[in-house]
Amino acid sequence: MSFSHLGLSDKVLGAIESAGYKTPTPIQEQAIPHVLARRDVLGIAQTGTGKTAAFVLPMLTMLEQGRARARMPRTLILEPTRELAAQVAEQFEKYGKNHKLNVALIIGGVSFGDQDTKLLRGVDVLIATPGRLLDHSERGRLLLSGCELLIIDEADRMLDMGFIPDIERIGKLVPFTRQTLFFTATMPPEIQRIADTFLHNPVRVEVSRPATAATTITQLKVQTGRDPAEKRETLRRLLRDADNFKNAIIFCNRKREVALLHRSLVRHKFNAVALHGDLDQSARTAALDAFRSGEAKLLIASDVAARGLDIPDVSHVFNFDVPHHADDYIHRIGRTGRAGKSGVAISIVAPMDGKSIDAIEKLTGQTIPWMAKSAAAAEPAPEAEATPARAERHEHRGGDRGERRHQRPRGEPREPHRPSNEPRRPQQRPREVEEADTSHLPAFLLRPVTLKA
Ligand code: AMP
């Protein structure tokens, strides 16, 4: 099947050709003809399946007819996070390069004024997070009564983030006769209920989970102790020893843990940035940009912040914390091994994680192998050989400019709150200082060298 059989316009086909896509993905093949036939669609698919193009491409074709009116967007796409909204806007830029459409991004954390000016000019495609959209609507700056097409993306994530009441309110502001496309990765009962209220006689399109399809991901687990400092040490060892390492996303279960781990890795001279919900928008954008461009090699993130992000070419994913929900595991490891590339996903397993691992293995239908003893075992860390004096010098010299810039992202507290089960700093300090200098160096550089006289 080629794109030319799906009913897309010539302009859209031209943009697809420029993007270098040869064949539609299963979700595109199944959904696009129904979207063009103005049917409601229930899409069960997650990021990595090409689902964004599955709605953006037919939207572009349909929007070629008609024009926008002031303050009355013609179509509305709801996204749970600002990053996802920005990512969809980028796709409109890419696929809509042959169109003259007004696309507006209405997300929190940026100025109201600029957004208002855009709305006033008339918008063909409005991409929004629910809260900021309702703010504009309540101020009377936005009318949704002209909206012909509503897209609810990542609905299960909206549920996790408590957005369902907002989505229901927005549903009452758009015309009853609009077309609706509803995308979700999973179908819990609450999502089924929302889908039933939003969709009229929908076509159901379901594509397999990337975790079951992507055989390109090598999954491993590594045993560690329950002490966070020991977990961090295990992670540093894994980072140092990783084969074919290009970059990595490291997941933590809580925002506070993200901030804490980020600070620790930066202190150890790793080139790391952090992404979590407490950071302001500019810090989040800067972190993502640095990671995407390769300026930062490690992105430490929470599930909410990283869900659905399309970052091509991630070589490694580390679960610093094993996720409590097995679904999150699938989302996390799906950040690597994309587009046929190989990837590695390593989970650091503490004694209390047994139940979570069982649930993950049950869901994926696979037992995740333990990493080979030699790679996973706590070898004496080569950097422990560094003399404290030398370590101290490195500690004070600081990293390169990029590292220093990300050392304390805006919005983060100056000092992390120390978890009650973590050893007190004075005890931890000598080990941390000793290890701080060399953890970014390949092991061979740390072998003792005998110099000839
Ligand atoms: P998504 O699931 O929408 O996040 O898309 C995942 C990635 O797949 C994005 O980087 C898209 O650019 C890419 N993509 C989407 N459709 C195709 C296609 N038909 N062929 C190759 N890559 C695609």
Side-chain angles (χ1 to χ4, degrees):
M1 166 73 81
S2 83
F3 277 106
S4 58
H5 294 102
L6 298 178
L8 295 165
S9 70
D10 289 343
K11 282 184 186 175
V12 173
L13 290 174
I16 294 170
E17 203 178 327
S18 311
Y21 302 161
K22 299 281 176 270
T23 49
T25 64
I27 184 98
Q28 292 163 2
E29 192 179 318
Q30 293 174 57
I32 290 173
H34 294 299
V35 178
L36 290 172
R38 311 269 166 177
R39 290 284 304 271
D40 281 6
V41 172
L42 169 61
I44 304 176
Q46 43 187 267
T47 321
T49 54
K51 77 171 159 69
T52 317
F55 59 82
V56 172
L57 300 176
M59 274 178 81
L60 286 166
T61 299
M62 295 193 295
L63 286 167
E64 285 172 19
Q65 312 293 327
R67 54 186 287 272
R69 285 190 284 163
R71 302 212 177 279
M72 293 180 75
R74 297 170 68 194
T75 60
L76 169 62
I77 302 173
L78 293 173
E79 293 289 338
T81 64
R82 301 161 186 179
E83 284 78 14
L84 277 172
Q87 205 167 275
V88 173
E90 275 168 26
Q91 300 234 4
F92 268 97
E93 234 168 72
K94 177 167 153 186
Y95 304 127
K97 67 187 191 86
N98 302 325
H99 294 74
K100 278 205 182 75
L101 292 177
N102 289 335
V103 178
L105 192 57
I106 301 290
I107 55 176
V110 285
S111 119
F112 255 99
D114 293 349
Q115 295 180 348
D116 192 54
T117 313
K118 274 209 156 175
L119 291 174
L120 180 62
R121 263 193 238 135
V123 168
D124 297 289
V125 182
L126 181 57
I127 306 163
T129 47
R132 181 55 74 95
L133 182 87
L134 284 169
D135 283 349
H136 278 281
S137 162
E138 276 155 16
R139 291 177 186 205
R141 319 299 289 173
L142 168 69
L143 284 170
L144 292 174
S145 51
C147 178
E148 304 152 19
L149 174 61
L150 170 67
I151 291 156
I152 301 171
D153 195 17
E154 300 272 341
D156 51 351
R157 182 59 29 167
M158 301 265 197
L159 175 70
D160 292 349
M161 295 174 74
F163 284 150
I164 295 302
D166 284 352
I167 299 290
E168 288 181 313
R169 280 174 60 202
I170 293 166
K172 294 192 180 113
L173 301 173
V174 291
F176 181 73
T177 50
R178 93 265 154 179
Q179 180 185 8
T180 308
L181 314 179
F182 189 100
F183 290 91
T184 181
T186 55
M187 209 47 175
E190 178 66 355
I191 290 296
Q192 184 66 60
R193 183 188 71 75
I194 302 293
D196 291 343
T197 53
F198 271 85
L199 298 165
H200 302 287
N201 188 24
V203 180
R204 186 183 166 109
V205 175
E206 186 163 359
V207 298
S208 63
R209 293 169 182 282
T212 47
T215 46
T216 49
I217 306 170
T218 306
Q219 299 177 57
L220 292 164
K221 60 190 179 199
V222 171
Q223 189 76 50
T224 189
R226 68 176 68 230
D227 175 6
E230 190 182 334
K231 283 177 78 176
R232 289 198 288 271
E233 197 180 316
T234 304
L235 173 68
R236 291 196 297 271
R237 198 175 55 248
L238 291 169
L239 287 169
R240 249 189 351 254
D241 295 346
D243 285 333
N244 300 322
F245 181 89
K246 181 171 178 281
N247 57 4
I249 303 182
I250 303 168
F251 283 98
C252 299
N253 286 351
R254 286 171 303 165
K255 311 186 253 204
R256 204 191 62 186
E257 198 62 60
V258 171
L260 209 65
L261 180 62
H262 173 231
R263 263 189 292 271
S264 164
L265 286 170
V266 169
R267 209 165 48 230
H268 283 264
K269 308 291 175 278
F270 282 94
N271 189 351
V273 290
L275 190 69
H276 62 77
D278 281 351
L279 297 176
D280 67 24
Q281 190 53 41
S282 59
R284 285 158 69 154
T285 308
L288 263 182
D289 287 351
F291 187 67
R292 280 199 172 115
S293 69
E295 189 194 329
K297 296 291 174 212
L298 304 179
L299 175 73
I300 305 136
S302 59
D303 290 291
V304 169
R307 174 100 171 240
L309 291 181
D310 181 33
I311 305 171
D313 233 0
V314 175
S315 70
H316 285 67
V317 164
F318 291 93
N319 287 317
F320 181 74
D321 297 313
V322 175
H324 298 309
H325 301 291
D327 268 342
D328 284 334
Y329 177 82
I330 291 171
H331 286 291
R332 288 180 182 188
I333 70 165
R335 310 292 95 223
T336 185
R338 289 164 89 92
K341 295 209 170 74
S342 62
V344 179
I346 303 179
S347 299
I348 299 176
V349 181
M352 63 280 203
D353 295 326
K355 265 195 186 152
S356 305
I357 285 286
D358 288 348
I360 289 165
E361 294 184 342
K362 197 167 157 211
L363 182 72
T364 57
Q366 278 174 267
T367 304
I368 306 166
W370 291 102
M371 218 166 156
K373 258 253 155 60
S374 58
E379 302 155 1
E383 61 269 49
E385 287 156 24
T387 63
R390 181 170 156 261
E392 208 74 56
R393 267 204 313 276
H394 279 266
E395 177 97 327
H396 288 115
R397 203 175 54 210
D400 64 19
R401 270 180 55 226
E403 281 177 348
R404 212 175 309 168
R405 182 145 42 90
H406 293 295
Q407 213 145 359
R408 185 164 57 85
R410 283 158 67 183
E412 270 186 25
R414 200 169 280 272
E415 273 301 314
H417 179 261
R418 185 171 51 81
S420 56
N421 59 348
E422 201 176 328
R424 291 187 64 78
R425 211 161 164 68
Q427 288 168 10
Q428 192 185 328
R429 192 71 188 153
R431 191 174 60 181
E432 291 241 350
V433 169
E434 278 173 359
E435 288 174 1
D437 321 325
T438 51
S439 50
H440 60 303
L441 294 177
F444 74 88
L445 281 179
L446 300 165
R447 284 192 209 121
V449 179
T450 318
L451 292 175
K452 286 195 183 125

